[in-house]
């Protein structure tokens, strides 16, 4: 086991994993986090805690992780390269591991110009691939990025990365995923999938490279709350691929919210059929209430309870 | 057949070149391996001239200028010394060997020293053997040297005993 | 000027290793003045590479050409005749030159022979120092003509930090403390009082942190 986290155990045992997402508040209020954790509890194997998502200042990912842990929600700490250099990142990871956190998602991070401090200096000392390598080396080689040995306990983290199958150049995306895996990714969460055929094509390339056997791939899915949101995602969000028929389907619906959830469930069922997809990552930011309904509707409940020994046995097979 | 090195000596008009003449008048013997390039001051010797000499097939090269402090142009010989030092390192880096290049200082009155230096350098390059160039470059490389340097040899007839 | 320095010979030799005929291109502007990529340096580098290849027994040819500027298309066009005869270009221009040649001749590999380091000037013969960071929002009027963005290791706007000692920066005794210089200069100008004001956090978006920068002059555009 890399870290022995619940997420790792579920994935290693061959179960179809479910992760969710929890966005900390733009304030110092822990109750917001507790409330969201309460909704996700029991419906996901672990929840990503975003790191100043879209470059907007929010309560820290690691602090929020510490708040949700006693509430039986396993955090996946998100770490971007935008706001911290390699010194700060390593320091924070030692802290997160000391607090008992066992999952980490390594991201380059949205550019600060999209956030609420567009005048800030972007750090980008590392990129996501070098971040992955650094975290893997800290865990497996017991070494800091500079090469110095970690003389005490090393941070044992189950390390993830994101990949966008819909970004350009399409032919390079699977190869880039390969780079992330080579750098240390144990699991991958993809960008939101609305164009399932294109995602399936990408997975085909992933399988050709044998990457699905080296790493657990979770397809990113998410409910669309309104027609406006669908249109916005279809036209304004770079790197998102929302086909016209999705927008049309929501447009034709009487209850857009309900249709959005149904659509999400349909996509989960479709991606589940694609070979090499090890789970789904449900992104319902600021709509955490939708997650239980989606998990239930997609037949993903109850979530399995896997003992470490059991996961090890399956993994050994 | 024993190896006879080709050696280029860049000699300052004010000192080493005059010293070569003096060596001749003093009937001092020095090896005919040494071809002298007369220059107005060793400060005129640039990195490219030293490299071109090797490109053109020299087995050894040296720069002979005035005694430090006695440069006709104040500090030309000091610049030459720095350039020789940097080219020595370059030659080490590319496998030719920095010891094939040297800087000497002498005055116009040091005919004896001129002959000594010529002997010393010839002997050093004999020991080192031919330049390690595996390929003859003299035909293919364009020559940036001829226009800036005039080759002038002191009367050899006076040199030979 | 743009300051650049030649890459280590070993690195250059590794870059050109796959190619049989290489055009070494000099630039007659900044890198000529900082003695790293002008006609003279092209000659020395080509000669060095020829010798190195001859020692190793490699068959490789070098062609030399220096153009007025590697950052303007019309000058780069002058390379076309030679570019067509070689299988790689080794540019001794700054990073802009390398990219512009590559843009004009996209079918041929263009290799950088220099590391471009900064905008600066020769502070003495043989020494070039960085003095401008190209941050896009000049404050030299407020700092006595000394740029803390380029010359303070921490880019402080309200320096000097606690590491300033005897006019030197904490990173190295070779590095003057920019804020010590600012203090001294503003003192001479009788403007020390202005240092009591808090300079607000900088807008880094104009410094490249807002993405690549572009200047557009509509009055000059076709």
């Amino acid at each position: 086991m890399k870290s022995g986290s619940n997420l790792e155990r579920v994935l290693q045992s061959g179960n179809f994993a479910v992760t969710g997402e929890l966005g900390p508040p733009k304030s110092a209020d822990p109750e917001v986090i507790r409330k969201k954790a309460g909704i996700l509890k029991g419906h996901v194997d672990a929840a990503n805690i975003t790191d100043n998502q879209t470059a907007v200042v929010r309560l820290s990912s690691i602090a929020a992780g510490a708040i949700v842990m006693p509430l039986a929600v396993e955090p996946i700490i998100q770490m971007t390269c935008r706001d911290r250099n390699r010194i700060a990142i390593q320091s924070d990871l030692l802290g997160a591991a000391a607090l008992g956190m066992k999952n980490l998602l390594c991201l380059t991070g949205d550019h600060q110009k999209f956030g609420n401090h567009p005048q800030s200096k972007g750090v980008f000392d590392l990129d996501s691939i070098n971040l992955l390598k650094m975290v893997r080396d800290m865990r497996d080689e017991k070494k800091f990025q500079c090469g110095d040995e970690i003389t005490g306990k090393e941070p044992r983290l189950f390390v993830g990365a994101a990949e966008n199958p819909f970004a350009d150049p399409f032919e390079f995306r699977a190869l880039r995923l390969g780079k992330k895996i080579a750098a240390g990714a144990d699991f991958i969460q993809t960008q939101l999938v609305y164009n399932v055929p294109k995602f399936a094509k990408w997975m085909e390339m992933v399988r050709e490279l044998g990457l699905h056997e080296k790493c657990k791939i979770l397809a990113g899915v998410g409910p669309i709350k309104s027609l406006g949101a669908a249109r916005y995602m279809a036209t304004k969000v770079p790197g998102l691929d929302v086909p016209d028929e999705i927008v049309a389907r929501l447009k034709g619906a009487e209850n857009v919210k309900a249709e959005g959830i149904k659509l999400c469930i349909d996509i989960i069922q479709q991606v589940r059929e694609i070979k090499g997809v090890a789970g789904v990552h449900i992104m319902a930011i600021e709509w955490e209430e939708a997650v239980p309904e989606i998990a239930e509707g997609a037949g993903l409940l109850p979530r399995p309870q896997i003992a470490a020994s059991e996961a090890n046995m399956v993994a050994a097979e | 057949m024993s190896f006879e090195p080709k050696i280029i000596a860049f000699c300052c008009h004010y000192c080493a070149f005059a010293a070569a003449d003096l060596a001749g008048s003093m009937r001092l013997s020095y090896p005919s391996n040494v071809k002298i390039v007369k220059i107005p001051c060793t400060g005129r010797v640039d990195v490219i001239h030293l490299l071109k000499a090797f490109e053109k097939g020299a087995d050894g090269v040296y720069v002979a200028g005035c005694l430090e402090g006695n440069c006709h142009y104040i500090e030309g010989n000091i610049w030459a010394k720095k350039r020789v030092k940097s080219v020595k390192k370059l030659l080490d880096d590319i496998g030719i060997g920095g010891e094939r290049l040297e800087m000497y200082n002498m005055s116009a009155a040091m005919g004896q020293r001129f002959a000594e230096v010529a002997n010393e350098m010839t002997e050093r390059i004999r020991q080192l053997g031919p330049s390690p160039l595996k390929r003859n470059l003299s035909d293919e490389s364009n020559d940036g040297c001829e226009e800036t340097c005039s080759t002038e040899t002191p009367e050899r007839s006076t040199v030979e005993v | 000027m743009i300051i650049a320095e030649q890459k280590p010979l070993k690195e250059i030799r590794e870059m050109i290793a796959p190619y049989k005929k290489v055009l070494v291109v000099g630039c007659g502007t900044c890198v000529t003045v900082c003695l790293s990529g002008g006609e003279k340096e092209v000659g020395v580098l080509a000669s060095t590479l020829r010798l190195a290849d001859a020692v190793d027994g490699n068959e490789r040819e070098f062609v030399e050409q220096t153009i007025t500027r590697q950052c303007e298309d019309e000058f780069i066009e002058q390379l076309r005749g030679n570019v067509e005869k070689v299988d790689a270009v080794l540019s001794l221009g700054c990073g802009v030159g390398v990219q512009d040649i590559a843009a004009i001749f996209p079918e041929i590999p263009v290799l950088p022979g220099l590391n471009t380091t900064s905008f600066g000037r020769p502070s003495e013969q043989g020494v070039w120092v960085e003095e401008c960071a190209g941050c896009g929002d000049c404050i030299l009027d407020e700092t006595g003509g000394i740029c803390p963005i380029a010359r303070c290791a921490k880019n402080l706007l309200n320096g000097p930090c606690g590491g300033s000692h005897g006019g030197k920066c904490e990173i190295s005794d070779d590095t003057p403390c920019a804020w010590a210089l600012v203090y001294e200069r503003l003192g001479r100008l009788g403007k020390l009082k202005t240092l009591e004001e808090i300079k607000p956090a900088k807008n880094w978006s104009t410094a490249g942190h807002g993405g690549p920068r572009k200047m557009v002059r509509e009055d000059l555009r076709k």
Side-chain angles (χ1 to χ4, degrees):
Chain A
M1 288 269 125
K2 307 282 169 114
S3 75
S5 71
N6 183 52
L7 177 64
E8 184 182 9
R9 294 198 306 268
V10 168
L11 285 165
Q12 286 304 335
S13 64
N15 279 280
F16 193 76
V18 180
T19 54
E21 203 153 296
L22 191 157
K26 293 185 249 185
S27 73
D29 184 358
E31 283 313 315
V32 179
I33 299 163
R34 291 191 183 115
K35 186 163 166 276
K36 289 182 176 180
I39 298 166
L40 294 174
K41 181 187 166 185
H43 300 109
V44 295
D45 302 314
N48 290 32
I49 316 283
T50 54
D51 176 17
N52 296 311
Q53 159 140 341
T54 65
V56 172
V57 180
R58 289 169 182 274
L59 190 149
S60 110
S61 176
I62 292 169
I67 293 168
V68 303
M69 277 172 58
L71 306 174
V73 172
E74 182 176 274
I76 301 170
I77 300 307
Q78 292 196 181
M79 179 65 73
T80 72
C81 301
R82 179 192 57 232
D83 310 325
R84 299 171 187 81
N85 68 7
R86 63 192 85 179
I87 301 172
I89 294 175
Q90 291 179 100
S91 162
D92 280 355
L93 294 182
L94 295 180
L99 288 167
M101 290 162 211
K102 291 179 175 170
N103 306 303
L104 179 78
L105 188 77
C106 298
L107 305 164
T108 297
D110 296 323
H111 196 280
Q112 66 278 7
K113 83 174 276 189
F114 302 111
N116 60 356
H117 292 74
Q119 297 191 346
S120 61
K121 192 192 272 189
V123 177
F124 300 109
D125 178 23
L126 304 174
D127 57 20
S128 57
I129 290 175
N130 280 305
L131 172 58
L132 283 164
K133 182 176 182 317
M134 181 174 84
V135 180
R136 193 257 317 268
D137 288 351
M138 288 172 86
R139 180 190 68 201
D140 296 345
E141 312 285 328
K142 289 192 72 164
K143 277 185 177 154
F144 290 110
Q145 196 271 342
C146 60
D148 283 358
E149 198 188 332
I150 301 174
T151 46
K153 193 171 161 23
E154 76 280 15
R156 298 213 61 84
L157 295 161
F158 189 53
V159 189
E163 185 55 64
N164 184 359
F166 308 105
D168 294 319
F170 182 63
E171 316 74 56
F172 184 62
R173 301 323 296 190
L175 291 169
R176 186 161 184 272
L177 175 74
K179 283 177 81 166
K180 289 196 169 180
I181 295 167
D186 302 312
F187 71 96
I188 295 289
Q189 293 172 327
T190 77
Q191 172 62 289
L192 284 165
V193 177
Y194 292 107
N195 186 340
V196 177
K198 192 164 182 183
F199 176 73
K201 176 85 189 98
W202 178 75
M203 279 303 300
E204 200 180 313
M205 293 192 283
V206 167
R207 289 194 303 272
E208 275 167 22
L209 295 169
L211 299 176
H212 63 303
E213 282 158 359
K214 296 179 184 164
C215 176
K216 302 295 181 186
I217 296 167
L218 281 66
V221 296
I224 303 179
K225 215 172 184 175
S226 68
L227 193 55
R231 285 191 177 127
Y232 182 77
M233 288 200 289
T235 55
K236 294 273 165 35
V237 182
L240 259 189
D241 185 343
V242 183
D244 294 343
E245 55 264 36
I246 298 280
V247 181
R249 176 171 163 181
L250 291 172
K251 198 176 175 184
E254 256 175 54
N255 182 342
V256 178
K257 270 182 142 177
E259 191 63 25
I261 286 174
K262 197 160 169 294
L263 174 72
C264 185
I265 291 167
D266 286 351
I267 290 173
I268 292 174
Q269 279 157 355
Q270 288 168 44
V271 296
R272 200 174 178 172
E273 296 306 313
I274 298 169
K275 193 179 168 219
V277 175
V280 284
H281 175 53
I282 305 171
M283 284 175 265
I285 282 277
E286 300 309 317
W287 195 15
E288 284 80 2
E289 301 82 359
V291 174
E293 199 179 334
I294 293 167
E296 181 69 50
L300 299 170
L301 298 179
R303 297 310 308 147
Q305 299 300 312
I306 312 291
S309 53
E310 197 182 328
N312 268 331
M313 265 167 56
V314 178
E317 286 165 14
Chain B
M1 205 179 83
S2 73
F3 159 64
E4 284 304 329
K6 278 180 266 177
I7 296 173
I8 301 296
F10 290 96
C11 294
C12 164
H13 159 77
Y14 290 95
C15 52
F17 191 81
D21 260 348
L22 182 59
S25 351
M26 290 166 74
R27 309 205 161 264
L28 296 168
S29 143
Y30 70 90
S32 60
N33 306 62
V34 176
K35 311 288 180 216
I36 294 176
V37 179
K38 182 183 171 187
I39 44 176
C41 171
T42 51
R44 182 63 188 88
V45 177
D46 207 305
V47 172
I48 190 72
H49 303 128
L50 303 173
L51 293 173
K52 283 290 173 190
F54 284 103
E55 267 196 61
K56 294 286 180 184
D59 300 298
V61 176
Y62 64 95
V63 179
C66 301
L67 295 170
E68 288 188 15
N70 284 347
C71 174
H72 188 77
Y73 299 101
I74 317 295
E75 53 185 16
N77 53 355
I78 305 296
W79 289 112
K81 182 174 152 187
K82 283 171 178 274
R83 288 174 199 148
V84 165
K85 191 178 166 195
S86 80
V87 176
K88 277 168 93 69
K89 183 176 177 304
L90 200 59
L91 295 173
D92 277 335
D93 287 350
I94 62 181
I96 288 179
E99 65 278 18
R100 290 180 183 275
L101 173 66
E102 207 49 79
M103 173 83 198
Y104 293 101
N105 300 87
M106 62 190 71
S107 77
M110 296 164 95
Q112 179 81 40
R113 176 65 183 147
F114 180 85
E116 260 174 44
V117 162
N119 277 304
E120 181 186 310
M121 199 63 189
T122 306
E123 196 42 47
R124 182 197 291 190
I125 304 301
R126 263 202 200 108
Q127 295 297 322
L128 289 168
S131 158
L133 302 198
K134 293 196 182 102
R135 209 153 58 85
N136 187 0
L137 283 172
S138 46
D139 299 332
E140 65 188 64
S141 57
N142 57 350
D143 197 317
C145 192
E146 272 157 14
E147 64 208 57
T148 47
C149 320
S150 67
T151 309
E152 198 180 316
T153 312
E155 287 300 321
R156 291 224 50 111
S157 56
T158 62
V159 178
E160 279 161 17
V161 184
Chain C
M1 76 182 86
I2 293 173
I3 316 268
E5 58 194 2
Q6 196 183 302
K7 279 184 174 284
L9 197 59
K10 186 170 174 285
E11 197 180 329
I12 294 176
R13 295 195 65 199
E14 282 165 7
M15 277 194 285
I16 62 169
Y19 309 107
K20 289 288 167 219
K21 195 164 181 183
V22 178
L23 173 62
V24 186
V25 182
C27 175
T29 313
C30 310
V31 292
T32 290
V33 188
C34 70
L35 304 178
S36 49
E39 190 171 8
K40 187 169 170 177
E41 290 74 30
V42 165
V44 169
L45 179 62
S47 181
T48 306
L49 293 171
R50 260 184 221 114
L51 284 169
D53 276 335
V55 170
D56 293 352
N58 301 328
E59 292 290 336
R60 197 184 342 268
E61 274 185 70
F62 293 91
V63 184
E64 302 169 27
Q65 187 177 353
T66 298
I67 55 177
T68 308
R69 273 199 283 287
Q70 287 190 19
C71 54
E72 287 193 66
D73 298 0
E74 49 269 49
F75 292 113
I76 295 172
E77 271 304 327
Q78 296 168 0
L79 297 171
R80 190 169 294 277
N82 275 330
V83 167
E84 282 163 4
K85 283 187 253 164
V86 299
D87 49 10
V89 172
L90 175 63
S91 162
L92 294 195
C94 69
V96 180
V98 177
Q99 293 183 61
D100 206 0
I101 297 174
I104 303 273
F105 302 112
E107 311 299 331
I108 196 150
V110 183
L111 315 168
L114 304 183
N115 289 322
T116 308
T117 60
S118 56
F119 306 146
R121 66 178 183 95
S123 60
E124 59 181 281
Q125 190 168 330
V127 179
W128 288 266
V129 289
E130 176 173 15
E131 295 206 338
C132 175
C135 77
D137 183 17
C138 193
I139 53 162
L140 285 169
D141 57 317
E142 299 169 22
T143 55
I146 289 146
C147 177
I149 306 303
R151 297 167 70 179
C152 165
K154 295 176 182 170
N155 313 152
L156 298 184
L157 291 165
N158 295 283
C161 73
S164 178
H165 60 285
K168 302 296 179 193
C169 172
E170 68 178 14
I171 62 153
S172 147
D173 282 344
D174 293 338
T175 307
C177 167
W179 275 101
L181 296 172
V182 171
Y183 187 82
E184 193 264 343
R185 184 75 57 81
L186 290 181
R188 282 209 225 174
L189 296 172
K191 287 184 173 176
L192 274 181
K193 195 79 185 155
T194 63
L195 285 187
E196 290 173 24
E197 297 158 18
I198 293 178
K199 295 227 181 343
K202 188 172 172 62
N203 175 1
W204 289 99
S205 67
T206 59
H209 294 274
R213 292 161 286 174
K214 177 155 78 174
M215 178 174 93
V216 179
R217 282 273 307 270
E218 289 300 345
D219 56 329
L220 297 177
R221 271 184 136 177
K222 278 192 182 165

